[in-house]
mmCIF file with all atom_site columns, all heavy atoms in Angstrom:
data_model
loop_
_atom_site.group_PDB
_atom_site.id
_atom_site.type_symbol
_atom_site.label_atom_id
_atom_site.label_alt_id
_atom_site.label_comp_id
_atom_site.label_asym_id
_atom_site.label_entity_id
_atom_site.label_seq_id
_atom_site.pdbx_PDB_ins_code
_atom_site.Cartn_x
_atom_site.Cartn_y
_atom_site.Cartn_z
_atom_site.occupancy
_atom_site.B_iso_or_equiv
_atom_site.pdbx_formal_charge
_atom_site.auth_seq_id
_atom_site.auth_comp_id
_atom_site.auth_asym_id
_atom_site.auth_atom_id
_atom_site.pdbx_PDB_model_num
ATOM   1   N N   . ASP A 1 32  ? -12.542 -1.784  14.303 1.00 98.00 ? 32  ASP A N   1
ATOM   2   C CA  . ASP A 1 32  ? -11.155 -1.323  14.071 1.00 98.00 ? 32  ASP A CA  1
ATOM   3   C C   . ASP A 1 32  ? -10.621 -0.721  15.364 1.00 98.00 ? 32  ASP A C   1
ATOM   4   O O   . ASP A 1 32  ? -11.363 -0.050  16.104 1.00 98.00 ? 32  ASP A O   1
ATOM   5   C CB  . ASP A 1 32  ? -11.094 -0.289  12.944 1.00 98.00 ? 32  ASP A CB  1
ATOM   6   C CG  . ASP A 1 32  ? -9.711  -0.284  12.266 1.00 98.00 ? 32  ASP A CG  1
ATOM   7   O OD1 . ASP A 1 32  ? -8.699  -0.035  12.960 1.00 98.00 ? 32  ASP A OD1 1
ATOM   8   O OD2 . ASP A 1 32  ? -9.622  -0.579  11.076 1.00 98.00 ? 32  ASP A OD2 1
ATOM   9   N N   . HIS A 1 58  ? -1.206  8.312   -0.454 1.00 98.00 ? 58  HIS A N   1
ATOM   10  C CA  . HIS A 1 58  ? -1.807  7.156   -1.077 1.00 98.00 ? 58  HIS A CA  1
ATOM   11  C C   . HIS A 1 58  ? -2.270  7.552   -2.492 1.00 98.00 ? 58  HIS A C   1
ATOM   12  O O   . HIS A 1 58  ? -3.231  8.324   -2.643 1.00 98.00 ? 58  HIS A O   1
ATOM   13  C CB  . HIS A 1 58  ? -2.963  6.632   -0.260 1.00 98.00 ? 58  HIS A CB  1
ATOM   14  C CG  . HIS A 1 58  ? -2.465  5.720   0.824  1.00 98.00 ? 58  HIS A CG  1
ATOM   15  N ND1 . HIS A 1 58  ? -1.696  6.178   1.901  1.00 98.00 ? 58  HIS A ND1 1
ATOM   16  C CD2 . HIS A 1 58  ? -2.574  4.356   1.011  1.00 98.00 ? 58  HIS A CD2 1
ATOM   17  C CE1 . HIS A 1 58  ? -1.396  5.149   2.673  1.00 98.00 ? 58  HIS A CE1 1
ATOM   18  N NE2 . HIS A 1 58  ? -1.915  4.042   2.170  1.00 98.00 ? 58  HIS A NE2 1
ATOM   19  N N   . ILE A 1 59  ? -1.605  6.991   -3.473 1.00 98.00 ? 59  ILE A N   1
ATOM   20  C CA  . ILE A 1 59  ? -1.910  7.349   -4.873 1.00 98.00 ? 59  ILE A CA  1
ATOM   21  C C   . ILE A 1 59  ? -2.541  6.104   -5.514 1.00 98.00 ? 59  ILE A C   1
ATOM   22  O O   . ILE A 1 59  ? -1.959  5.040   -5.506 1.00 98.00 ? 59  ILE A O   1
ATOM   23  C CB  . ILE A 1 59  ? -0.628  7.770   -5.631 1.00 98.00 ? 59  ILE A CB  1
ATOM   24  C CG1 . ILE A 1 59  ? -0.174  9.087   -5.021 1.00 98.00 ? 59  ILE A CG1 1
ATOM   25  C CG2 . ILE A 1 59  ? -0.888  7.941   -7.103 1.00 98.00 ? 59  ILE A CG2 1
ATOM   26  C CD1 . ILE A 1 59  ? 1.074   9.010   -4.258 1.00 98.00 ? 59  ILE A CD1 1
ATOM   27  N N   . ARG A 1 337 ? -3.317  -6.978  3.593  1.00 96.00 ? 337 ARG A N   1
ATOM   28  C CA  . ARG A 1 337 ? -1.880  -6.821  3.640  1.00 96.00 ? 337 ARG A CA  1
ATOM   29  C C   . ARG A 1 337 ? -1.224  -7.375  4.912  1.00 96.00 ? 337 ARG A C   1
ATOM   30  O O   . ARG A 1 337 ? -0.197  -8.034  4.856  1.00 96.00 ? 337 ARG A O   1
ATOM   31  C CB  . ARG A 1 337 ? -1.643  -5.320  3.539  1.00 96.00 ? 337 ARG A CB  1
ATOM   32  C CG  . ARG A 1 337 ? -0.306  -4.915  3.391  1.00 96.00 ? 337 ARG A CG  1
ATOM   33  C CD  . ARG A 1 337 ? -0.308  -3.460  3.095  1.00 96.00 ? 337 ARG A CD  1
ATOM   34  N NE  . ARG A 1 337 ? 1.068   -3.042  3.107  1.00 96.00 ? 337 ARG A NE  1
ATOM   35  C CZ  . ARG A 1 337 ? 1.484   -1.846  2.800  1.00 96.00 ? 337 ARG A CZ  1
ATOM   36  N NH1 . ARG A 1 337 ? 0.603   -0.925  2.450  1.00 96.00 ? 337 ARG A NH1 1
ATOM   37  N NH2 . ARG A 1 337 ? 2.722   -1.531  2.815  1.00 96.00 ? 337 ARG A NH2 1
ATOM   38  N N   . TYR A 1 344 ? 1.103   -5.114  -0.498 1.00 94.00 ? 344 TYR A N   1
ATOM   39  C CA  . TYR A 1 344 ? 0.106   -4.976  -1.544 1.00 94.00 ? 344 TYR A CA  1
ATOM   40  C C   . TYR A 1 344 ? -0.285  -3.522  -1.701 1.00 94.00 ? 344 TYR A C   1
ATOM   41  O O   . TYR A 1 344 ? -0.450  -2.790  -0.699 1.00 94.00 ? 344 TYR A O   1
ATOM   42  C CB  . TYR A 1 344 ? -1.184  -5.692  -1.149 1.00 94.00 ? 344 TYR A CB  1
ATOM   43  C CG  . TYR A 1 344 ? -1.182  -7.191  -1.360 1.00 94.00 ? 344 TYR A CG  1
ATOM   44  C CD1 . TYR A 1 344 ? -1.715  -8.023  -0.383 1.00 94.00 ? 344 TYR A CD1 1
ATOM   45  C CD2 . TYR A 1 344 ? -0.705  -7.734  -2.549 1.00 94.00 ? 344 TYR A CD2 1
ATOM   46  C CE1 . TYR A 1 344 ? -1.742  -9.390  -0.577 1.00 94.00 ? 344 TYR A CE1 1
ATOM   47  C CE2 . TYR A 1 344 ? -0.739  -9.105  -2.718 1.00 94.00 ? 344 TYR A CE2 1
ATOM   48  C CZ  . TYR A 1 344 ? -1.241  -9.927  -1.736 1.00 94.00 ? 344 TYR A CZ  1
ATOM   49  O OH  . TYR A 1 344 ? -1.277  -11.282 -1.913 1.00 94.00 ? 344 TYR A OH  1
HETATM 50  C C1  . FAD B 2 .   ? 3.242   4.883   3.757  1.00 79.93 ? 401 FAD B C1  1
HETATM 51  C C2  . FAD B 2 .   ? 2.394   4.053   2.839  1.00 79.93 ? 401 FAD B C2  1
HETATM 52  C C3  . FAD B 2 .   ? 2.096   4.530   1.588  1.00 79.93 ? 401 FAD B C3  1
HETATM 53  C C4  . FAD B 2 .   ? 1.317   3.758   0.728  1.00 79.93 ? 401 FAD B C4  1
HETATM 54  N N1  . FAD B 2 .   ? 1.087   4.297   -0.499 1.00 79.93 ? 401 FAD B N1  1
HETATM 55  C C5  . FAD B 2 .   ? 0.285   3.606   -1.344 1.00 79.93 ? 401 FAD B C5  1
HETATM 56  C C6  . FAD B 2 .   ? 0.024   4.125   -2.632 1.00 79.93 ? 401 FAD B C6  1
HETATM 57  O O1  . FAD B 2 .   ? 0.449   5.232   -2.990 1.00 79.93 ? 401 FAD B O1  1
HETATM 58  N N2  . FAD B 2 .   ? -0.773  3.421   -3.476 1.00 79.93 ? 401 FAD B N2  1
HETATM 59  C C7  . FAD B 2 .   ? -1.279  2.179   -3.131 1.00 79.93 ? 401 FAD B C7  1
HETATM 60  O O2  . FAD B 2 .   ? -2.019  1.572   -3.921 1.00 79.93 ? 401 FAD B O2  1
HETATM 61  N N3  . FAD B 2 .   ? -1.043  1.643   -1.895 1.00 79.93 ? 401 FAD B N3  1
HETATM 62  C C8  . FAD B 2 .   ? -0.275  2.332   -1.012 1.00 79.93 ? 401 FAD B C8  1
HETATM 63  N N4  . FAD B 2 .   ? -0.009  1.818   0.240  1.00 79.93 ? 401 FAD B N4  1
HETATM 64  C C9  . FAD B 2 .   ? -0.602  0.503   0.579  1.00 79.93 ? 401 FAD B C9  1
HETATM 65  C C10 . FAD B 2 .   ? -1.997  0.638   1.180  1.00 79.93 ? 401 FAD B C10 1
HETATM 66  O O3  . FAD B 2 .   ? -1.929  1.336   2.398  1.00 79.93 ? 401 FAD B O3  1
HETATM 67  C C11 . FAD B 2 .   ? -2.534  -0.791  1.430  1.00 79.93 ? 401 FAD B C11 1
HETATM 68  O O4  . FAD B 2 .   ? -2.604  -1.507  0.211  1.00 79.93 ? 401 FAD B O4  1
HETATM 69  C C12 . FAD B 2 .   ? -3.924  -0.832  2.039  1.00 79.93 ? 401 FAD B C12 1
HETATM 70  O O5  . FAD B 2 .   ? -4.042  0.029   3.119  1.00 79.93 ? 401 FAD B O5  1
HETATM 71  C C13 . FAD B 2 .   ? -4.187  -2.236  2.509  1.00 79.93 ? 401 FAD B C13 1
HETATM 72  O O6  . FAD B 2 .   ? -5.463  -2.362  3.029  1.00 79.93 ? 401 FAD B O6  1
HETATM 73  P P1  . FAD B 2 .   ? -5.741  -3.467  4.147  1.00 79.93 ? 401 FAD B P1  1
HETATM 74  O O7  . FAD B 2 .   ? -7.197  -3.433  4.395  1.00 79.93 ? 401 FAD B O7  1
HETATM 75  O O8  . FAD B 2 .   ? -5.124  -4.750  3.812  1.00 79.93 ? 401 FAD B O8  1
HETATM 76  O O9  . FAD B 2 .   ? -4.907  -2.927  5.422  1.00 79.93 ? 401 FAD B O9  1
HETATM 77  P P2  . FAD B 2 .   ? -5.069  -1.645  6.333  1.00 79.93 ? 401 FAD B P2  1
HETATM 78  O O10 . FAD B 2 .   ? -5.428  -0.439  5.565  1.00 79.93 ? 401 FAD B O10 1
HETATM 79  O O11 . FAD B 2 .   ? -3.806  -1.599  7.154  1.00 79.93 ? 401 FAD B O11 1
HETATM 80  O O12 . FAD B 2 .   ? -6.281  -2.010  7.305  1.00 79.93 ? 401 FAD B O12 1
HETATM 81  C C14 . FAD B 2 .   ? -6.176  -2.945  8.318  1.00 79.93 ? 401 FAD B C14 1
HETATM 82  C C15 . FAD B 2 .   ? -6.947  -2.393  9.514  1.00 79.93 ? 401 FAD B C15 1
HETATM 83  O O13 . FAD B 2 .   ? -6.996  -3.409  10.550 1.00 79.93 ? 401 FAD B O13 1
HETATM 84  C C16 . FAD B 2 .   ? -6.998  -2.755  11.787 1.00 79.93 ? 401 FAD B C16 1
HETATM 85  N N5  . FAD B 2 .   ? -6.582  -3.712  12.824 1.00 79.93 ? 401 FAD B N5  1
HETATM 86  C C17 . FAD B 2 .   ? -5.362  -4.307  12.965 1.00 79.93 ? 401 FAD B C17 1
HETATM 87  N N6  . FAD B 2 .   ? -5.357  -5.058  14.066 1.00 79.93 ? 401 FAD B N6  1
HETATM 88  C C18 . FAD B 2 .   ? -6.597  -4.981  14.628 1.00 79.93 ? 401 FAD B C18 1
HETATM 89  C C19 . FAD B 2 .   ? -7.204  -5.529  15.811 1.00 79.93 ? 401 FAD B C19 1
HETATM 90  N N7  . FAD B 2 .   ? -6.494  -6.353  16.625 1.00 79.93 ? 401 FAD B N7  1
HETATM 91  N N8  . FAD B 2 .   ? -8.498  -5.229  16.083 1.00 79.93 ? 401 FAD B N8  1
HETATM 92  C C20 . FAD B 2 .   ? -9.199  -4.372  15.273 1.00 79.93 ? 401 FAD B C20 1
HETATM 93  N N9  . FAD B 2 .   ? -8.659  -3.808  14.161 1.00 79.93 ? 401 FAD B N9  1
HETATM 94  C C21 . FAD B 2 .   ? -7.384  -4.095  13.849 1.00 79.93 ? 401 FAD B C21 1
HETATM 95  C C22 . FAD B 2 .   ? -5.983  -1.633  11.590 1.00 79.93 ? 401 FAD B C22 1
HETATM 96  O O14 . FAD B 2 .   ? -6.178  -0.597  12.530 1.00 79.93 ? 401 FAD B O14 1
HETATM 97  C C23 . FAD B 2 .   ? -6.268  -1.171  10.173 1.00 79.93 ? 401 FAD B C23 1
HETATM 98  O O15 . FAD B 2 .   ? -7.139  -0.071  10.114 1.00 79.93 ? 401 FAD B O15 1
HETATM 99  C C24 . FAD B 2 .   ? 0.815   2.507   1.121  1.00 79.93 ? 401 FAD B C24 1
HETATM 100 C C25 . FAD B 2 .   ? 1.074   2.050   2.395  1.00 79.93 ? 401 FAD B C25 1
HETATM 101 C C26 . FAD B 2 .   ? 1.879   2.793   3.244  1.00 79.93 ? 401 FAD B C26 1
HETATM 102 C C27 . FAD B 2 .   ? 2.181   2.255   4.645  1.00 79.93 ? 401 FAD B C27 1
#
Side-chain angles (χ1 to χ4, degrees):
D32 207 300
H58 276 68
I59 293 111
R337 189 171 172 174
Y344 280 137

